[in-house]
Amino acid sequence: METDDLTPAERRVWDAFPRGEGVDFREEPGDSSVDGAGWGPGRTVRAEVLRALLLGARPAAAGQVAGLKIKGARIIGALDLRYAVVDHPIRLRDCWFERKPLLYGAQLKALVLGFSTLPGLTAATVRVEVVLRLSCCRITGPVRLQGARIAGGLFLQGAVIDPAPGEEAGEAALQLNHAEIGTDIIANDLTVHGQLRLNGATVGGQVQLDGARLLAPGGIALHAETLTVGTDLRAHRLHARGMVNLSGSRIPGQAMFTRSELANPGGTALRASSCSIGELWLRRCPPIRGVVNLRRSTLDMLHIEPRTWPERIAVDGLTYRTLAPHLPAGERLPALEREESGYLPYAYEQLAAAYRTAGDEAAARTVQLAKLRRHRRTLPRYARLWGLLQDATVGYGFRPLRATLWLLALLVTGSLAYALHHPRELKQGEAPDFNPVFYTIDLMLPIIGFGQEEAFAPGGWYQWLSYLLVVTGWVLATTTAAGVSRSLRRQ
């Protein structure tokens, strides 16, 4: 381009570029790029001048590394670097862009746009050798980074992405689907008005969303199906309005949602089905508003307080080794009643297994008993009687002491009754000495015989008492045997 056409501001940039020196147009260090539309000619640089420099209009000075390093400029026109190969770092901090940069298919060394104000960014399939920084940017249009390949990290902390209403309707506000990030995505305190899309993305290190605000009410706030993370997904104090969708994701470390607010009333708030996650933390979260779907996922540890579960959950096929914090089974069981598919035997088995892993056999038995009671409610009314009988007598085999107490109470009742009113002898002179305790045992336990039942016969209402003892003894013996058999099969 003709250098005679350069303005004084552009001349400063032109002369600094070969030596990689910085040009600071700010009047004060605290100048905000939000006000850049009103900056005058002394701070205005045409995008075509920057493009010419980046594409070789001026070579590097001898022994120097050329580069574009500007602060506080008003950049007019479109910085069009589509398909360009740029061998110089680009640092445009605190700048105001009249039009969105076009970087589709470009190959860049490094791109830093921190604290700048942009009407959007088109950089799908961009290749960046070092780092891409959008920290604390204010962006009023979609950010397209789908298919990007960044060897280093992507920095979005403190950025605000708020596309104007109606702009690119139906498009995600921040698109990173199928991107490959060599190290980390650092997006703490990021605010996105619309969808953050990470479908199929691969991140070598962490994804950090601590304090982020993802706002897509009634839609999908975080769309991260089949996301692959090298270590952790950190989202402490995440504020999500809309679904958080992690279906099919692979997170070998921790998925941390501690103190996060997840809300999608009338829909699904958290969908993490078919995931493989080391540890899923929902610690100290307020009650989730919307369905939680963890179907078919595999977790090493699930940390969630009972109050955090929403009114409806979907946990069919969910597998976890440990459950934290360790609480009595009675506090964990109500959540299983919220399963939207109804009674799921596997959910109870999984909870019982977690208690066994923790060494709490009593809690595991409580869960197994709750499972049988829940199953009984699914049976026809006529089929519930046998279950009720087993529950009342021996707690389905989990409460064997209960049968002992029943037997002891009946033994005391019968012994006292027959001690006061001896039954008559069936054959005078041939009966053994009457013993009310062993007579009662003879009536109650059919497999034991002390010769008392065959030698004596009660009369009147005592005969009806004997019938009651015989029937009750048979019932207790049968239900106890069934319960013991069930316990042995579980072992």
Side-chain angles (χ1 to χ4, degrees), residues 16 20 34 77 92 108 116 126 157 166 243 259 263 270 272 307 352 371 390 407 413 446 467-468:
V34 174
L92 301 172
L108 311 177
S116 294
V126 70
Q157 64 267 39
M243 182 196 302
R259 299 181 185 271
L270 174 61
R307 71 182 186 90
K371 170 194 168 186
Q390 291 189 76
L407 290 170
T413 300
Y467 295 156
L468 175 63

Side-chain angles (χ1 to χ4, degrees), residues 432-440 442 449-457:
D433 293 338
F434 178 74
N435 186 305
V437 174
F438 286 100
Y439 180 71
T440 304
D442 259 359
F450 292 100
Q452 295 283 314
E453 181 183 4
E454 295 84 356
F456 299 94

